[in-house]
C-alpha cells in the first residue's frame, strides 16, 4: 500500500509537478483523479476548499498546497530534486519562483474565460460577446508579449546553468513545475492560444524534448503508474551550512512589500546585510537593468538573485544563526511539511488580494485601460472589489488562519517561529496600516486570534529590535 495518496482533478494542472517528482524519485503513490462533476460535493470536505491534497500515512497528515507536496517528496525521497547544498538550493528555488511568476502572469488570461468575477468583471461576462472579445484580447496579449518575455528568461536560465535543465545538469523541482506549465500551451485546448505557440522558441522546444526523454518521465506519460523503488521516506542528506556571505545586499523600495520577509529573516538569524532602499521615481530608469525587471534583488557574493520566496527559504534553511525556539525551516518531515503548507497558504492569501491591489496600480493586467484607476468607473470598481474582499475573502482566510494558529501553539506552523510567520507578519501588517483605500485599518480586530498572533510575533526579540530601529 503506498504511503502517499495524491488527490486532484483528471488533468495535469497543479497536481502534475508532484506526480512527476514521485515518478522521477521512484515513489509509488495512489493517484486519485476527481471528475469535475464531483467537485461541488467534494469541495466543502477538502482542506482550504481546494485540490490537490495529499495524505501521508506514516506522518498521519493530510496537507494542501501543491508546492508543499512537491518539496516534501523532493527532500525526503530524492537525492537531487531539491539540493542540500546552499548555493545549489538557492538557484533551484529562484528557478521555481520564476515558474510561479510565469503561472501568475498567465492567470488573468485564464480567469477571464473561467472566473471573470475574480478579476473584477461580472459573473458570466465571458459568455457575452464583449467578454468573448476580452478573452481573445488578454490571451492574444499573453501569446504576443508575455510568453516571449518568459521564454527568454527560461532560455537564459537554462543556458546560464549548463544548457540542460533550469538549475543545472540534472532536473529539480523547478523542472517538475515548468514542464507541465509549458506543455499545456502545446495541446490545442486553450482558446486563442495556438498549439504551436512555443515553436518560435527553439531552446524551449529542445528543453521540453529533453524532459520528456528522461526515462522516468517518458515512462510516466506512457503509463502513469510508479513502481516503488524508493522505499519509505529517508532522512535527507545533511544540509551544507552556508558561509556568511560577503557583501550581502538587498535592494527594494522603501516599503515593506515583498522584501520585508527577507529583511526579517536576516534580522532573526543575525545575518548582516546592506539594506538598499530605492525611490519610486528612480525605478523606471533602474528597471531595465534588473533581473527579470523586478525587485527585490539580493546580491550574494557578487551574484544577483531575484525572487523573494527563494531568498526567504534559503535564509530560513541555511543561515547559521537559527532561533533558539527551533529552525526557521525544520528538518523533521512533519514539521517541514507543515511549514511548507503554511507558506503555500500565505501565498494563496496574497494571491487572493492581488486583483484588488493591481486593479488600482496596474489595471492593464486585467484588460482595463492603463488610466482606468483615474476614472469614475475605475474608482467605483476598486471600491467594490476591496470592500468585497474585506467582507467575504478576508473572513474565510482569517478562519483558516486562526485554526492553523490554534493548532500550532500560537504560530502559523510547527509550534514556533518559522519562515511562514516571517512571510505572514508583513502581509497582515499592511491591512492595519490604514493606507489602503477602502480597507479599514481595524479590519483585523474582528479576529482576536490573529491580533494576538501579530502581537506574539512582533514580540520576538529580534523582530521587536528590527522595528525599533
Amino acid at each position: 500500500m503506498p504511503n502517499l495518496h495524491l488527490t486532484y482533478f483528471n488533468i495535469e494542472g497543479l497536481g502534475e509537478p508532484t506526480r512527476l517528482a514521485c515518478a522521477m524519485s521512484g515513489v509509488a503513490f495512489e493517484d486519485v483523479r476527481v471528475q469535475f462533476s464531483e467537485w461541488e460535493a467534494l469541495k466543502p470536505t477538502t482542506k482550504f476548499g481546494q485540490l490537490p491534497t495529499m495524505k501521508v500515512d506514516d506522518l498521519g497528515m493530510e496537507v494542501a498546497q501543491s508546492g508543499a507536496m512537491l518539496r516534501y517528496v523532493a527532500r525526503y525521497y530524492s537525492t537531487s530534486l531539491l539540493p542540500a547544498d546552499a548555493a545549489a538550493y538557492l538557484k533551484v528555488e529562484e528557478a521555481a519562483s520564476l515558474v510561479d511568476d510565469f503561472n501568475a502572469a498567465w492567470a488573468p488570461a485564464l480567469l477571464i474565460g473561467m472566473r471573470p468575477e475574480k478579476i473584477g468583471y461580472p459573473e458570466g461576462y465571458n459568455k457575452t460577446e464583449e467578454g468573448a472579445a476580452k478573452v481573445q484580447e488578454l490571451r492574444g496579449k499573453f501569446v504576443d508579449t508575455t510568453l516571449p518575455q518568459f521564454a527568454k528568461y527560461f532560455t537564459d536560465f537554462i543556458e546560464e546553468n549548463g544548457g540542460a535543465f533550469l538549475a543545472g545538469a540534472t532536473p529539480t523541482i523547478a523542472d517538475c513545475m515548468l514542464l507541465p506549465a509549458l506543455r499545456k500551451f502545446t495541446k490545442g485546448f486553450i482558446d486563442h492560444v495556438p498549439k504551436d505557440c512555443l515553436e518560435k522558441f527553439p531552446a524551449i522546444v529542445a528543453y521540453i524534448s529533453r524532459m520528456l526523454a528522461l526515462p522516468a518521465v517518458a515512462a510516466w506519460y506512457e503509463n502513469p503508474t510508479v513502481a516503488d523503488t524508493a522505499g519509505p521516506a529517508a532522512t535527507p542528506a545533511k544540509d551544507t551550512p552556508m558561509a556568511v556571505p560577503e557583501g550581502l545586499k538587498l535592494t527594494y523600495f522603501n516599503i515593506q512589500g515583498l522584501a520585508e520577509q527577507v529583511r526579517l529573516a536576516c534580522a532573526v538569524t543575525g545575518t548582516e546585510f546592506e539594506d538598499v532602499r530605492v525611490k519610486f521615481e528612480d525605478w523606471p530608469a533602474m528597471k531595465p537593468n534588473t533581473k527579470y525587471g523586478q525587485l527585490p534583488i539580493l546580491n550574494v557574493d557578487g551574484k544577483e538573485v531575484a525572487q523573494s520566496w527563494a531568498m526567504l527559504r534559503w535564509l530560513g534553511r541555511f543561515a547559521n544563526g537559527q532561533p533558539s525556539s527551533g529552525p526557521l525551516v525544520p528538518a523533521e518531515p512533519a514539521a517541514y511539511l507543515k511549514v511548507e503548507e503554511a507558506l503555500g497558504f500565505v501565498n494563496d492569501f496574497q494571491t487572493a488580494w492581488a486583483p484588488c491591489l493591481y486593479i488600482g496600480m496596474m489595471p492593464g493586467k486585467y484588460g482595463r485601460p492603463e488610466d482606468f484607476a483615474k476614472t469614475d468607473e475605475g474608482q467605483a470598481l476598486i471600491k467594490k472589489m476591496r470592500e468585497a474582499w474585506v467582507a467575504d475573502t478576508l473572513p474565510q482566510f482569517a478562519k483558516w488562519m486562526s485554526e492553523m494558529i490554534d493548532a500550532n501553539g500560537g504560530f502559523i506552523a510547527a509550534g514556533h517561529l518559522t519562515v511562514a510567520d516571517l512571510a505572514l507578519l508583513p502581509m497582515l501588517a499592511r491591512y492595519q496600516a490604514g493606507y489602503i483605500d477602502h480597507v479599514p485599518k481595524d479590519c483585523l480586530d474582528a479576529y482576536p486570534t490573529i491580533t494576538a498572533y501579530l502581537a506574539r510575533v512582533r514580540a520576538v526579540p529580534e523582530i521587536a529590535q528590527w522595528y525599533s530601529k
Side-chain angles (χ1 to χ4, degrees), residues 280-290:
F280 287 110
E281 59 264 30
D282 296 335
W283 176 235
M286 183 181 178
K287 182 176 181 178
N289 301 313
T290 60

Side-chain angles (χ1 to χ4, degrees), residues 39 43 49 107-127 135 138-139 355 366 385 393:
W39 176 233
K43 182 175 181 178
L110 174 66
L111 290 172
I112 191 67
M114 294 176 61
R115 299 285 303 279
E117 68 276 10
K118 290 273 192 181
I119 55 174
Y121 292 91
E123 189 171 351
Y125 177 74
N126 53 314
K127 297 176 182 178
V135 172
L138 282 181
R139 293 184 180 178
Y366 305 112
M385 290 177 69
T393 307

Side-chain angles (χ1 to χ4, degrees), residues 3 156 276 426:
N3 183 46
D156 291 347
V276 179

Side-chain angles (χ1 to χ4, degrees), residues 428-443:
L428 289 170
R430 74 163 68 114
Y431 302 118
Q432 294 182 316
Y435 61 76
I436 305 175
D437 291 341
H438 315 299
V439 178
K441 66 179 182 179
D442 62 354
C443 66

Side-chain angles (χ1 to χ4, degrees), residues 2-5 18-31 54 72-74 76-78 81 216 220 225-233:
N3 183 46
L4 306 180
H5 311 267
T18 302
R19 294 174 186 145
L20 286 172
C22 288
M24 294 165 71
S25 304
V27 183
F29 68 103
E30 185 183 11
D31 186 17
M54 185 172 77
Y72 170 75
V73 171
Y76 297 100
Y77 287 93
S78 169
L81 290 178
W220 169 253
T225 59
V226 182
D228 196 343
T229 61

Side-chain angles (χ1 to χ4, degrees), residues 86 239-245 265-266 268-271 314-324 327-328:
D239 288 345
T240 304
M242 72 173 183
V244 177
C266 288
V268 168
T269 60
T271 303
W314 174 67
L315 285 163
R317 182 167 168 180
F318 291 98
N320 292 306
Q322 295 290 331
S324 59
L328 292 175

